[in-house]
């Protein structure tokens, strides 16, 4: 049996989950469900990134202890995924005791293998990114992502010998042993690596909220080192037992473009530092950013769409559909309440909902609920294998449009009266199409697909209204 291990980034708990986070998680869920439907053994990992200065500051601002704050926020993320019907196999938290123990063991191992050494770091640090910045990263002296001037920091620190792995990483990425998609992201990463990787500072003396270094308790572990290894600890890795990890290597790691560089450098660098024979993840898929009315979604701009608002308005299934169908996966996409509502009404209310209710209605009224469906299939395998969720949905929508058009063109509601035999043939095709649509939609809209398939395959087909009521 083939296995399929898919991950999302683990999200920082300083922010509440919004639909940008939901985008990645829903996409991962769709892919996990698809692979399961293909008979593969799937492991889907997601979770929360809870250590570091940014989270500690957010906790202080909220007047909570870091631990309580993280517990609450981790729960918020789990609640959000429940709302969207995202079914992960494991939710990892970097404050889990098993994760912390594994990180310590891993650091000790890399230290003993001479990939960690002591030094002093001086540089500009952006807490928003939890990363040191170089002049080239800044625009007008500010971090373009967070619009703040990074702080000058000088401190004793431990370093990770990332520079040692530059050539090896460039080789393995350029020959697609670690496949980075879309292609533009691969080129971006390769240029970055080939321009020379520096060793990175991986400990903090002034940040208390973190995992202490096992060989120097005055330091805590840099949050990215702690976080990236979640993709192993989430599988039960204890810092040492990689031979027993059934699901390793990862088959698909999803992320947005903001974090592809760290994922392509520090992450595989750590794996090689732990064990030169460690397999690297097989594939990264890097998607774009959602913007709202052309602006980055952010709490301070007040333009965030929250999961609970979206699901309350459209339902879980329709929200999943809208997230996947609004932008080709891999590109940036602009959304707004208006655009989402328009798409909902066009594709789901007038498209799918209308199709099902018209066809079932005619079958119930004129054929006593009995029509034998003609076999049909929408082949979306190639699209799904290649993360082309949007294109897979386009194929499904094309089938819905085809079917609705067929009803109109054949004037089916008249045809059943003038030529029942011909109408029966057309209905057999339409019912077959509806079943094919239900099957193809299953990973995207599991509840709706289940309802459609159960109703379409019932002994007696019954009228079905209100699958997707029109929304203003
Ligand atoms: N904690 C790190 C990741 C560590 S992984 C070892 C982090 N967290 S984050 O909360 O900032 O989440 C970033 C990820 O959330 C993005 O890579 C993307 O998957 C998702 N998104 C957050 N906002 C988004 C949009 N506005 N649009 C699309 N995806 C977004 O980085």
């Amino acid at each position: 049996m083939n296995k399929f291990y898919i991950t999302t980034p683990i999200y920082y708990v300083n922010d509440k989950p919004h639909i940008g986070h939901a985008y990645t998680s829903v996409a991962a869920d769709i892919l996990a469900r698809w692979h399961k439907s293909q008979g593969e053994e799937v492991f889907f990992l997601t979770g929360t990134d809870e250590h570091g200065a940014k989270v500690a500051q957010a906790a202080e601002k909220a007047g909570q202890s870091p631990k309580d704050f993280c517990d609450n926020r981790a729960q918020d993320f789990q609640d959000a995924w429940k709302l969207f019907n995202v079914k992960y196999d494991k939710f990892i938290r970097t404050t889990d005791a098993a994760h912390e123990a594994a990180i310590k063991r891993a650091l000790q191992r890399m230290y003993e293998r001479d990939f960690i050494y002591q030094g002093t770091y001086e540089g500009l640090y952006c807490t928003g990114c939890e990363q040191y910045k170089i002049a080239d990263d800044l625009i007008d002296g500010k971090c373009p992502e967070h619009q703040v001037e990074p702080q000058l920091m000088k401190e004793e620190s431990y370093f990770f010998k990332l520079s040692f792995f530059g050539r090896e990483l460039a080789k393995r990425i350029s020959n697609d042993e670690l496949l980075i998609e879309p292609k533009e992201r691969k080129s971006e990463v390769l240029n970055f690596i080939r321009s020379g990787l520096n060793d990175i500072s991986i400990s903090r003396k002034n940040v208390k909220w973190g995992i202490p270094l096992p060989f120097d308790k005055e330091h805590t572990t840099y949050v990215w080192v702690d976080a990236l290894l979640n993709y192993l600890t989430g599988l039960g890795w204890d810092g040492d037992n990689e031979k027993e990890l059934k699901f390793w290597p990862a088959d698909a790691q999803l992320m947005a473009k903001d974090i592809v560089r760290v994922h392509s450098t520090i992450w595989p660098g750590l794996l090689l530092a732990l064990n030169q024979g460690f397999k690297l993840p097989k594939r990264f898929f890097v998607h774009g950013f959602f913007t709202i009315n052309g602006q980055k979604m952010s709490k301070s701009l007040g333009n965030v769409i929250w999961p609970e608002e979206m699901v309350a308005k459209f339902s879980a299934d329709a929200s999943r559909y809208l997230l996947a169908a609004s932008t080709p996966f891999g590109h940036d996409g602009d959304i707004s309440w208006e655009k989402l509502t328009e798409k909902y009404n066009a594709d789901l209310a007038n498209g799918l909902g209308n199709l099902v209710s018209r066809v079932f209605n005619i079958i119930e009224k004129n054929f006593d609920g009995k029509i034998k469906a003609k076999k049909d299939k929408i082949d979306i395998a190639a699209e799904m294998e290649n993360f082309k969720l949007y294109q897979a949905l386009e194929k499904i929508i094309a089938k819905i449009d085809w079917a609705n058009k067929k009803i109109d063109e054949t004037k089916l509601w008249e045809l059943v009266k003038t030529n029942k035999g011909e109408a029966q043939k057309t209905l057999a095709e339409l019912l077959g199409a509806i079943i094919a649509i239900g099957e193809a939609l299953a990973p995207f809209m599991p509840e709706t697909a289940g309802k459609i398939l159960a109703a379409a395959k019932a002994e007696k087909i019954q009228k079905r209204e209100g699958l997707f009521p029109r929304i203003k």
Side-chain angles (χ1 to χ4, degrees), residues 276-296:
Q276 239 97 349
F278 224 134
K279 289 209 176 89
L280 300 189
K282 287 190 190 158
R283 199 168 178 186
F284 291 168
F285 191 88
V286 186
H287 63 76
F289 271 149
F290 266 155
T291 53
I292 299 212
N293 291 320
Q295 277 184 311
K296 191 174 179 229

Side-chain angles (χ1 to χ4, degrees), residues 392-440:
L393 286 172
E394 274 190 328
K395 272 194 173 171
I396 301 172
I397 289 295
K399 183 65 103 180
I400 296 172
D401 289 348
W402 168 86
N404 270 323
K405 213 160 143 204
K406 184 130 189 143
I407 300 177
D408 296 341
E409 280 174 1
T410 57
K411 298 212 170 110
L412 198 53
W413 56 96
E414 282 174 17
L415 196 65
V416 284
K417 300 205 172 78
T418 56
N419 187 344
K420 207 158 178 190
E422 197 51 37
Q424 186 172 9
K425 251 174 67 190
T426 305
L427 279 165
E429 278 184 57
L430 290 170
L431 188 60
I434 288 178
I435 293 174
I437 290 163
E439 281 163 354

Side-chain angles (χ1 to χ4, degrees), residues 10-12 18 20-21 24 49 224 231 256 258-259 287-290:
I10 50 171
Y11 306 106
Y12 285 129
H18 57 61
H21 306 114
T24 321
D49 190 354
W224 271 102
Y231 301 130
D258 52 340
I259 55 177
H287 63 76
F289 271 149
F290 266 155

